[in-house]
Amino acid sequence: MSWKIIAERLGESLPKGRLHPAVVAWIEGRPARERIAVALSGGADSVALLLLLWAHFPERRGRLLAVHFDHRLRGRASAEDARFCAGLCRGLGVELASGRWDDAPTAPSEGEARAARIQFFTTTLRRRRVAALAT
């Protein structure tokens, strides 16, 4: 499976002109050196977002960063999501920053899981000097 071909086909199916004009204007108005990160869960929405950014903004491909946080709450499925995200990013040539919840409580709440994910994203984006996180 070629993720680059899939991204190009998705970009053809959903042309740049169909994206929200304010989002396109914001991205195109940013300095080329700025990084844009994508919160990548491995689900359909975040995968489509990464593919569309890759397809429609080729000049920014080298500055894209995918961030994936493995909550480790679904056993093997969580590990498979992490592997899928790594393969997707490798296929597109997009850098991936991944983290995992090593100190999760025995029965975490949704709020605790969200807080752990946000903490990882915040720390990662700050360290890598990312301008924006696309979700």
Side-chain angles (χ1 to χ4, degrees):
M1 171 184 328
S2 171
W3 284 111
K4 291 178 180 180
I5 291 171
I6 292 169
E8 289 169 356
R9 288 184 181 161
L10 180 61
E12 291 167 2
S13 296
L14 187 63
K16 191 177 194 180
R18 301 242 350 249
L19 302 179
H20 196 288
V23 172
V24 173
W26 185 87
I27 292 172
E28 290 178 343
R30 306 304 301 171
R33 71 182 181 285
E34 282 188 348
R35 296 195 87 171
I36 297 174
V38 176
L40 184 63
S41 68
D45 293 346
S46 65
V47 169
L49 178 58
L50 178 61
L51 294 173
L52 286 169
L53 288 172
W54 189 92
H56 289 312
F57 301 97
E59 69 284 357
R60 295 197 174 267
R61 289 176 184 165
R63 303 297 293 159
L64 285 173
L65 172 69
V67 290
H68 175 79
F69 187 71
D70 180 357
H71 293 91
R72 301 178 67 205
L73 298 177
R74 296 180 300 114
R76 178 179 280 158
S78 290
E80 288 172 6
D81 287 345
R83 279 191 295 279
F84 172 81
C85 290
L88 169 61
C89 290
R90 195 170 35 258
L92 291 173
V94 170
E95 184 179 355
L96 172 66
S98 58
R100 54 187 244 170
W101 202 6
D102 288 323
D103 58 346
T106 305
S109 69
E110 186 176 328
E112 289 170 314
R114 184 182 316 106
R117 181 177 62 249
I118 290 170
Q119 179 61 46
F120 168 72
F121 287 171
T122 301
T123 301
T124 300
L125 300 183
R126 190 174 297 130
R127 281 186 189 148
R128 294 175 185 245
R129 295 188 171 101
V130 175
L133 175 64
T135 60

